[in-house]
Amino acid sequence: MSKTNVTIPFFIPHLGCRHRCVFCNQVYTSNTNTPPNEDDIINKVELYLKNIKSSVQHVEIAFFGGSFTGLDTELQKKYLAIAHEYYSKKMIQGIRLSTRPDYINKPILHLLKEYTVTTIELGVQSFHDDVLKASNRGHTVDDTMNAIACIKNEGFNLIIQLMPGLPCDTSEKSIESAHIACKLQPNGVRIYPTIVIKDTGLSKLFIDGNYIPMTLEEAVALTARMYSIFTMNNIPVIRMGLHPFANDISSTILAGPYHPSFGYLVKSRYCRNQLQNMLHQAVANNGTSTRYIIELPALHAAEYLGPHRENIAFLQNRFYNSCIQYTIAKTLEPILYAL
Ligand code: SF4
């Protein structure tokens, strides 16, 4: 399928960060040492625009990897002026940036509005103060709530970023954070299960035996539950798992549930849970001797089947008394027939 959205990303590693969060090393995760200068930005945007396919309908310039609104105001203006120029000429359709909750207030948002910023990604991470404190975030849940209210009042698109598995976090707290995030009605969320990156506070805690990361299985299962909560509330989950921006990101990871296809694993688990629930219900209604046929949506067949058809093997094992057949069909949702 051709891409319809393109993001032109710029990384400003740790610029504007007055705190070093315990899990963060943007130099490693973004594979960038230095922020771009004005020429770098223009050259990269021009290159992207020259190569963009006709199927693309929405292009955004995005500033990630630091706390954009914590930058010196003159530097913010320099970056935004370039992006705004492309936006005003209708060569791009959006300007996006990521920042921290305690770097949001009305004057800051008015500046962003002046330069036609469309989307703000907020590093919320958790809606629990003890988790924020243990992660050295340097802000509170109240700061987050105030920032979100301001962003929404001023009419920006809001993306909430959450990080299950931080120090002091539990599955219950992560699930609660997902429910709270839903109530705040963001335009989308990103879920980044915590990874132990080298040369971070978390790597020291891990080495000293004071932090145990989630296993991949735990992270997939928990993120699938969070994904389900957002999906049921019609909130798009635009990313799950760390983006492998670095060529060899695995060399910068000390421990934790990193997988290059983490999002696929989570969606596949979500689909497996859905099929399992359908089968539980069907077996409860019809008994085990009935034959079942399940039509799987062709568009999402890979997620429903699972990696190496693991989901089918899992369900076969769970419902070993039942005869279940799977077919791929042009349906939007799986359909179960009891014969
Ligand atoms: S998580 Fe955000 S605020 Fe914290 S150090 Fe990293 S870039 Fe800065």
Side-chain angles (χ1 to χ4, degrees), residues 14 17 19-21 23-24 26 65-67 100 137:
H14 290 297
C17 301
H19 295 270
R20 180 59 72 93
C21 306
F23 52 83
C24 188
Q26 289 291 339
S67 303
R100 300 165 47 91
R137 283 289 292 170

Side-chain angles (χ1 to χ4, degrees), residues 27-87:
V27 173
Y28 288 166
T29 46
S30 66
N31 199 23
T32 311
N33 252 321
T34 46
N37 62 33
E38 288 153 280
D39 285 345
D40 295 334
I41 296 180
I42 292 168
N43 291 340
K44 187 168 170 181
V45 173
E46 291 294 332
L47 190 66
Y48 263 74
L49 292 177
K50 208 167 86 189
N51 290 304
I52 267 169
K53 296 207 171 95
S54 57
S55 58
V56 171
Q57 292 159 4
H58 190 95
V59 183
E60 284 190 344
I61 291 179
F63 298 97
F64 294 132
S67 303
F68 191 91
T69 54
L71 297 184
D72 175 75
T73 308
E74 288 313 307
L75 185 55
Q76 289 186 53
K77 286 181 179 173
K78 260 188 198 166
Y79 282 150
L80 291 176
I82 301 169
H84 173 69
E85 177 87 8
Y86 285 101
Y87 184 82

Side-chain angles (χ1 to χ4, degrees), residues 22-324:
V22 78
F23 52 83
C24 188
N25 187 325
Q26 289 291 339
V27 173
Y28 288 166
T29 46
S30 66
N31 199 23
T32 311
N33 252 321
T34 46
N37 62 33
E38 288 153 280
D39 285 345
D40 295 334
I41 296 180
I42 292 168
N43 291 340
K44 187 168 170 181
V45 173
E46 291 294 332
L47 190 66
Y48 263 74
L49 292 177
K50 208 167 86 189
N51 290 304
I52 267 169
K53 296 207 171 95
S54 57
S55 58
V56 171
Q57 292 159 4
H58 190 95
V59 183
E60 284 190 344
I61 291 179
F63 298 97
F64 294 132
S67 303
F68 191 91
T69 54
L71 297 184
D72 175 75
T73 308
E74 288 313 307
L75 185 55
Q76 289 186 53
K77 286 181 179 173
K78 260 188 198 166
Y79 282 150
L80 291 176
I82 301 169
H84 173 69
E85 177 87 8
Y86 285 101
Y87 184 82
S88 60
K89 289 180 184 159
K90 299 192 179 0
M91 296 167 81
I92 62 166
Q93 286 69 47
I95 304 171
R96 173 183 294 252
L97 54 86
S98 64
T99 193
R100 300 165 47 91
D102 50 339
Y103 293 175
I104 291 288
N105 56 37
K106 273 194 178 171
I108 284 173
L109 292 178
H110 290 164
L111 176 76
L112 302 185
K113 223 172 205 182
E114 201 184 310
Y115 286 92
T116 56
V117 169
T118 44
T119 303
I120 298 176
E121 299 215 9
L122 205 61
V124 168
Q125 325 310 9
S126 169
F127 284 98
H128 294 271
D129 275 328
D130 57 341
V131 177
L132 297 178
K133 193 165 181 215
S135 305
N136 199 29
R137 283 289 292 170
H139 68 83
T140 63
V141 175
D142 277 351
D143 294 325
T144 304
M145 292 303 195
N146 290 336
I148 289 175
C150 274
I151 290 168
K152 289 181 76 84
N153 282 344
E154 295 292 336
F156 292 94
N157 293 325
L158 167 71
I159 303 294
I160 286 181
Q161 300 179 355
L162 291 175
M163 289 189 68
L166 285 171
C168 267
D169 197 22
T170 60
S171 306
E172 291 71 29
K173 288 183 195 172
S174 285
I175 295 295
E176 203 185 331
S177 286
H179 281 298
I180 296 171
C182 278
K183 287 201 185 113
L184 297 167
Q185 288 288 302
N187 300 83
V189 293
R190 295 182 193 258
I191 308 174
Y192 296 116
T194 308
I195 306 287
V196 185
I197 308 283
K198 283 182 186 168
D199 302 329
T200 58
L202 198 59
S203 67
K204 188 169 181 330
L205 287 176
F206 172 73
I207 290 165
D208 293 345
N210 293 320
Y211 172 75
I212 301 171
M214 286 189 285
T215 62
L216 182 60
E217 168 56 31
E218 287 166 342
V220 168
L222 175 58
T223 311
R225 288 172 67 197
M226 296 171 77
Y227 177 76
S228 162
I229 292 166
F230 290 116
T231 303
M232 279 189 310
N233 284 280
N234 295 319
I235 295 170
V237 180
I238 60 173
R239 174 90 209 165
M240 293 182 282
L242 201 60
H243 197 294
F245 286 112
N247 293 336
D248 182 17
I249 194 165
S250 52
S251 68
T252 68
I253 292 172
L254 202 56
Y258 176 75
H259 190 287
S261 306
F262 187 79
Y264 165 65
L265 296 184
V266 173
K267 285 182 187 164
S268 173
R269 180 61 55 90
Y270 167 80
C271 291
R272 186 182 97 181
N273 293 344
Q274 197 185 4
L275 296 179
Q276 190 176 350
N277 290 341
M278 286 171 82
L279 280 162
H280 268 308
Q281 191 63 49
V283 169
N285 292 341
N286 306 294
T288 50
S289 53
T290 311
R291 228 179 104 225
Y292 297 107
I293 295 186
I294 301 183
E295 285 184 353
L296 302 175
L299 257 183
H300 302 289
E303 282 94 339
Y304 279 98
L305 295 171
H308 312 292
R309 295 177 70 91
E310 269 173 21
N311 288 355
I312 304 303
F314 174 89
L315 293 168
Q316 217 61 57
N317 201 23
R318 269 295 149 97
F319 299 92
Y320 60 91
N321 274 329
S322 303
C323 171
I324 311 164

